[in-house]
Amino acid sequence: MGRASSLIRIPAAIMVGVASFGETRAAAQEANCFASALATAGGAPALRGEAGWLFLASELRFLAAGEFWGDAAADAGRAANPAHRDPLEPIDDFNRQLRDVDISLLVVPVPPKALIYPAMLGCTRDEARPSLERLRRFYGLLRERGVDVLDLTETFLAPEALAEGPLYCRTDTHWTGIGIRLAAERIADWLRAKGLAAAEEGGSAWSVEPREISITGDLGRLMGEDAREIVPVWRVAGPDGQPPRPDPSSPILLMGDSHVLVFSEGGDLHDVGSGLPEQLTARIGAPVDVLGVRGSGATTSRISLIRRIRSAPDFYKVKKAIVWCFAAREFTEADAWRFVPLPVQ
């Protein structure tokens, strides 16, 4: 798909039409490349980019939304209730609640695929930069409030990472084994700094085997295609040859959306033994506890956490860290960013 023939450049005078996706006029002009690409989708849930790459329309809405926190959240967010559109305060509140029970939180937003590979939409790095800087400003605000945030855009945009292979599936919303592995390395570094790794780097007894698997991407299915592709993964196994299983007794809980489950749960999530829980296990030397949800990782995953806490009376005594991983597009596309009070034990 060539840029000139497929991506419509929308003049500033009519960019206000794109503002129906929750943008201000200034934000639409600033992020006009992603907004222009979104306009070509014609309301479809996904659109086709260069070289067979497929992108989720809601991801492009997020990238074109401008500032999405504070007063700007009312225009940028997609939640039905405007009071539930700002992610900043609920994330800060969640962190403070966990800190009060001596549990450390690491927020791991998965960067939008289009932000790492803008050229596949006919966009340049310079055109993608405003969206990138906006994310970094938001992470800076969270850090100022004492929230640990892992900014994977820095890792994924490094030349050596991009040269290794595709970090995301071409026809699926999720990352490949390469992206998962890079994320696991950074998360493991944070856990080691907290003294929560069972083994030093390189000292794990879990084996890691590179493989290539064929998948049918969820974006391809959205577009009514049997879009198959070959993706790299790393399958983890113990001395018995079996992949690690989630361990409720682990001091570490990995929670979030389907990025926590992909290549781990099998079925329409493609593989078992090769996802983020397994990659973390291989790096820290012991299985972690897992709480993944299909759908929004913003509020649904925290509500699921409430159920887990209520079913485990010693939860606060056992857990020392929670790693909260979800798609960055959730900052505007979540059905709600609610305050979720944790149970008292």
Side-chain angles (χ1 to χ4, degrees):
M1 179 176 86
R3 176 174 178 166
S5 62
S6 59
L7 292 181
I8 303 169
R9 291 290 166 184
I10 304 177
I14 62 171
M15 281 302 293
V16 68
V18 183
S20 61
F21 293 106
E23 303 161 340
T24 64
R25 182 191 298 266
Q29 291 172 341
E30 180 185 64
N32 64 356
C33 184
F34 292 125
S36 297
L38 178 61
T40 69
L47 68 156
R48 183 177 299 282
E50 304 279 356
W53 281 68
L54 304 177
F55 295 88
L56 196 63
S58 61
E59 176 179 289
L60 300 184
R61 280 198 299 268
F62 164 64
L63 290 172
E67 286 194 0
F68 51 84
W69 60 89
D71 292 340
D75 292 325
R78 302 278 291 178
N81 187 339
H84 297 153
R85 292 177 183 172
D86 185 358
L88 181 60
E89 301 299 337
I91 293 174
D92 179 37
D93 178 72
F94 185 47
N95 182 63
R96 285 188 285 105
Q97 289 188 76
L98 291 174
R99 189 170 56 216
D100 288 345
V101 291
D102 296 321
I103 296 176
S104 298
L105 174 68
L106 179 65
V107 179
V108 185
V110 180
K113 180 164 69 170
L115 190 61
I116 305 302
Y117 293 104
M120 296 305 173
L121 283 167
C123 300
T124 66
R125 290 280 180 211
D126 285 343
E127 289 171 314
R129 190 172 305 280
S131 298
L132 175 62
E133 294 303 323
R134 193 158 43 245
L135 264 181
R136 288 174 173 168
R137 287 199 303 273
F138 180 67
Y139 298 158
L141 290 173
L142 286 172
R143 290 177 182 131
E144 288 175 5
R145 294 172 177 234
V147 181
D148 284 350
V149 183
L150 176 54
D151 183 1
L152 287 172
T153 58
E154 300 175 1
T155 300
F156 285 7
L157 288 172
E160 58 272 21
L162 293 170
E164 187 172 352
L167 303 173
Y168 295 81
C169 304
R170 288 185 300 105
T171 66
D172 195 273
T173 53
H174 300 98
W175 42 17
T176 66
I178 298 174
I180 292 172
R181 199 186 75 246
L182 292 173
E185 289 171 356
R186 294 285 307 279
I187 295 169
D189 289 342
W190 182 83
L191 291 170
R192 288 190 196 96
K194 296 288 183 182
L196 292 174
E200 294 298 321
E201 187 171 5
S204 173
W206 295 85
S207 64
V208 182
E209 178 188 1
R211 301 168 63 97
E212 290 186 336
I213 64 172
S214 175
I215 72 166
T216 299
D218 56 5
L219 291 175
R221 293 195 298 271
L222 274 177
M223 298 186 73
E225 303 174 2
D226 183 17
R228 299 197 67 81
E229 62 175 304
I230 304 298
V231 298
V233 298
W234 278 259
R235 193 164 291 173
V236 177
D240 60 356
Q242 297 300 309
R245 303 293 301 167
D247 181 7
S249 68
S250 170
I252 301 160
L253 173 65
L254 173 63
M255 62 175 273
D257 65 12
S258 57
H259 284 87
V260 169
L261 304 174
V262 70
F263 301 116
S264 181
E265 280 215 337
D268 61 348
L269 291 172
H270 311 315
D271 198 19
V272 295
S274 307
L276 185 58
E278 292 82 14
Q279 299 307 316
L280 273 179
T281 296
R283 280 156 184 78
I284 66 173
V288 299
D289 197 4
V290 180
L291 180 59
V293 299
R294 292 174 181 254
S296 174
T299 296
T300 305
S301 61
R302 287 178 292 141
I303 291 174
S304 296
L305 176 62
I306 289 176
R307 299 189 187 101
R308 175 70 64 86
I309 294 170
R310 287 173 174 163
S311 68
D314 60 348
F315 184 92
Y316 293 146
K317 295 179 180 178
V318 171
K319 301 305 177 198
K320 300 300 179 185
I322 290 180
V323 178
W324 187 17
C325 178
F326 55 87
R329 67 177 179 271
E330 290 292 284
F331 291 135
T332 64
E333 302 305 298
D335 54 5
W337 278 100
R338 298 175 181 271
F339 291 91
V340 177
L342 298 180
V344 175
Q345 287 191 331

